[in-house]
Amino acid sequence: MTKIQPFALIFVNFLLITFLWIFFRSDSITSAFGYIHNIIYSDKLVNPFIIPELKYATLTMILVVFFVIVEWSSKDNEFAIEKIFSNSLKPIKVIFFGFILFLIGMYSSIESSPFIYFQF
Amino acid sequence: MKEFIHKVIRIGIFLAIIYLIFLCIWGLFLPTYINKNLKYKLGLSGYMNTRLKEADTISKVDILFLGSSHTYRGFDIRIFKKNGFDCFNLGSSNQTPIQTNLLVKRYLNQLKPKLVIYEVFPENFEMDGLESGIDIISNSNSLLFAFENAKMVNHITAYNTFLYSSIRKFLFKDLYFKESSKIVDDYYVNGGFVQTDKLSNQSDYNAPISKRNWNINKKQWDAFLETISLFKNENISFLLVQAPVCKSFYYSYENNNEIESKFKYVGQFYNFNNDHYLMLDEKYDFYDLHHLTQTGVKKFNNRLMEVIEELGILNLILNE
């Protein structure tokens, strides 16, 4: 197996799972197929970067890449961050854990009433 | 064991510092849509920054107004002043009973009102109070009061905003922030009222709205009852009012009567949506489905003066 192959497999696997989620998240099979139809026949398929909402997906994409790297670097361990930075200096390890803690605090999804007056 | 506890404390402090550093980096340098659980908003069309600063300087009033945007946009203190009453309007955007309760605890003894007019909008009893909490957390110069708000809302966004707001107030001089006296169509009137320049209804007020029900949140209702108990304990007269809204909006709710009886059970309540003497023109007296223009405010406030006289509350204030 060449070095490139595992990454290609991860990418294909990621695409397949994402595609399957359409069926799991849809209200019905009909709406799932409708969604797929729109993906195929929408002009946005040609250039997804023209979607105005793309900026909201930027963060998700960055986080996905970050977590894939973390998972990949610890693929031989039971837990993703079990031995991460174990050979590094303690402050670096604590900064990393602090960053993970921060990501949880900043991006954890907790339900709240919609904002009416605040525009972000 | 002792060594272990020391280590946990050391790491805990270090993690907290790192958390704060990242919070600052995110808040200062990244666009707001990236900051999912951080919603710092210093200064807003609701003028809570100016209002809270002014509230800190006032010592005694005849009438205190509490409630949502219907309050700070609906009770023009100048009209009441003309009638001889010193007033303060402590309304804020989307103010839920949780925030009202905290504001009352903070200002009741200082303002010593003879009468509290508490505008109860059922929608605010449905919410979790996060938006209004963030408004106060971002705009209050008291860290303790901001923290109490975060604690009561108990949401990660409120805590993050509190931490970020505290840092900004001391490191970036947000403590001395001064709101512009005019923001778009609104301007602040001393005493807490916000007047709008809008002259007519910009919403489709005749369009039918699908039927729905008010669903009161228990946490909000408990906070509301606690506030009422505070008034009763301090022997302060209060009147619960429901401000006028467009008919299509009001009648889209099917359980108005049920909600009304709940309020009536708690204390003296007056619903201006059922007041046939208050003649409001939906085109010119509202600027959206549930906010009044200045012409609407005048009609509403003059009618309110009559109502508090009819209910015998006016004499209570005058005789004190």
Side-chain angles (χ1 to χ4, degrees):
Chain A
M1 206 185 273
T2 62
K3 272 185 180 176
I4 201 82
Q5 261 180 326
F7 294 102
L9 288 173
I10 289 171
F11 186 68
V12 170
N13 188 45
F14 180 79
L15 284 182
L16 277 175
I17 297 290
T18 311
F19 193 77
L20 279 175
W21 273 359
I22 295 171
F23 291 93
F24 287 115
R25 298 293 300 269
S26 292
D27 294 332
S28 62
I29 291 287
T30 316
S31 67
F33 279 111
Y35 198 89
I36 293 164
H37 177 274
N38 286 340
I39 290 175
I40 295 167
Y41 291 102
S42 167
D43 56 347
K44 285 163 186 167
L45 182 73
V46 181
N47 181 5
F49 295 99
I50 62 166
I51 305 171
E53 292 81 15
L54 184 75
K55 66 175 187 179
Y56 299 108
T58 314
L59 172 74
T60 310
M61 290 193 276
I62 293 168
L63 288 176
V64 165
V65 170
F66 174 74
F67 286 115
V68 166
I69 292 168
V70 171
E71 284 283 343
W72 181 254
S73 64
S74 305
K75 62 184 186 301
D76 299 326
N77 303 323
E78 194 178 351
F79 304 109
I81 54 172
E82 188 182 348
K83 288 177 183 166
I84 207 155
F85 292 119
S86 55
N87 297 326
S88 307
L89 292 169
K90 209 185 223 172
I92 293 172
K93 200 174 170 180
V94 180
I95 288 170
F96 176 76
F97 286 129
F99 181 60
I100 294 284
L101 191 70
F102 167 75
L103 289 180
I104 294 168
M106 180 59 85
Y107 297 111
S108 55
S109 192
I110 300 170
E111 217 174 278
S112 68
S113 303
F115 281 35
I116 298 169
Y117 293 92
F118 286 17
Q119 301 295 323
F120 288 99
Chain B
M1 187 63 187
K2 209 174 168 183
E3 178 60 25
F4 173 74
I5 292 169
H6 279 158
K7 201 173 172 184
V8 168
I9 292 170
R10 268 202 315 271
I11 291 174
I13 292 169
F14 201 44
L15 286 176
I17 293 168
I18 291 162
Y19 192 98
L20 289 177
I21 291 170
F22 280 115
L23 197 64
C24 282
I25 294 170
W26 254 239
L28 288 171
F29 302 112
L30 296 183
T32 48
Y33 65 85
I34 297 273
N35 300 333
K36 185 175 171 289
N37 292 338
L38 171 64
K39 309 276 184 204
Y40 182 64
K41 198 83 175 176
L42 185 65
L44 190 69
S45 58
Y47 283 98
M48 201 48 177
N49 191 280
T50 311
R51 187 175 295 108
L52 287 174
K53 279 178 185 159
E54 193 187 351
D56 289 335
T57 64
I58 293 194
S59 58
K60 209 165 186 284
V61 294
D62 294 319
I63 306 174
L64 173 66
F65 295 100
L66 295 167
S68 67
S69 56
H70 299 163
T71 304
Y72 71 78
R73 292 180 183 281
F75 300 109
D76 186 344
I77 44 99
R78 294 168 299 188
I79 294 172
F80 296 90
K81 200 160 189 163
K82 264 187 197 167
N83 286 284
F85 300 107
D86 279 331
C87 307
F88 194 76
N89 195 322
L90 210 46
S92 66
S93 298
N94 255 333
Q95 188 181 108
T96 72
I98 289 176
Q99 284 80 41
T100 312
N101 183 256
L102 291 170
L103 286 164
V104 165
K105 282 179 181 164
R106 182 170 167 81
Y107 290 106
L108 196 67
N109 285 332
Q110 179 198 321
L111 299 176
K112 293 186 180 68
K114 291 173 185 168
L115 170 68
V116 172
I117 293 185
Y118 186 171
E119 179 262 329
V120 284
F121 182 39
E123 190 173 285
N124 297 120
F125 285 70
E126 294 185 317
M127 296 174 165
D128 56 13
L130 181 61
E131 184 178 18
S132 172
I134 279 169
D135 189 16
I136 296 175
I137 291 165
S138 303
N139 290 296
S140 171
N141 277 354
S142 161
L143 288 192
L144 184 65
F145 187 52
F147 178 70
E148 281 170 353
N149 271 277
K151 199 175 82 180
M152 281 307 288
V153 172
N154 199 22
H155 193 282
I156 186 74
T157 308
Y159 289 117
N160 279 340
T161 307
F162 164 72
L163 292 170
Y164 182 65
S165 166
S166 308
I167 292 167
R168 282 199 65 114
K169 287 204 165 80
F170 291 100
L171 295 185
F172 301 99
K173 296 185 176 172
D174 283 0
L175 212 56
Y176 308 104
F177 167 78
K178 199 171 181 306
E179 261 173 320
S180 161
S181 57
K182 191 168 193 315
I183 303 173
V184 198
D185 291 323
D186 297 333
Y187 61 90
Y188 185 81
V189 175
N190 281 342
F193 176 66
V194 174
Q195 183 173 328
T196 179
D197 282 342
K198 291 185 186 115
L199 298 172
S200 62
N201 207 327
Q202 290 156 15
S203 68
D204 192 0
Y205 56 92
N206 281 323
I209 303 172
S210 49
K211 296 289 176 194
R212 48 197 167 166
N213 278 301
W214 300 114
N215 295 306
I216 303 288
N217 176 333
K218 191 184 175 301
K219 194 178 165 188
Q220 296 291 2
W221 188 256
D222 290 344
F224 172 65
L225 293 181
E226 198 190 326
T227 305
I228 299 299
S229 301
L230 284 170
F231 298 149
K232 287 180 178 171
N233 292 343
E234 296 291 326
N235 244 341
I236 292 168
S237 306
F238 65 92
L239 175 65
L240 306 174
V241 298
Q242 205 167 327
V245 296
C246 284
K247 284 187 172 51
S248 61
F249 181 84
Y250 183 72
Y251 290 109
S252 66
Y253 288 93
E254 295 186 307
N255 61 339
N256 282 322
N257 291 340
E258 180 199 326
I259 299 296
E260 196 167 312
S261 13
K262 267 177 96 81
F263 286 134
K264 277 181 180 162
Y265 184 74
V266 173
Q268 205 160 23
F269 170 79
Y270 197 88
N271 188 348
F272 283 90
N273 293 291
N274 297 330
D275 185 331
H276 302 295
Y277 294 101
L278 179 63
M279 310 290 272
L280 293 171
D281 181 330
E282 300 216 330
K283 181 155 178 61
Y284 296 109
D285 290 335
F286 289 91
Y287 70 82
D288 65 18
L289 286 176
H290 50 96
H291 291 101
L292 296 164
T293 57
Q294 192 56 24
T295 57
V297 168
K298 279 179 190 162
K299 289 179 190 175
F300 172 43
N301 289 183
N302 288 329
R303 179 66 193 133
L304 176 63
M305 284 302 302
E306 289 169 10
V307 167
I308 55 176
E309 195 171 353
E310 284 164 20
L311 295 173
I313 302 170
L314 201 60
N315 289 336
L316 268 175
I317 310 172
L318 294 170
N319 293 337
E320 263 189 49

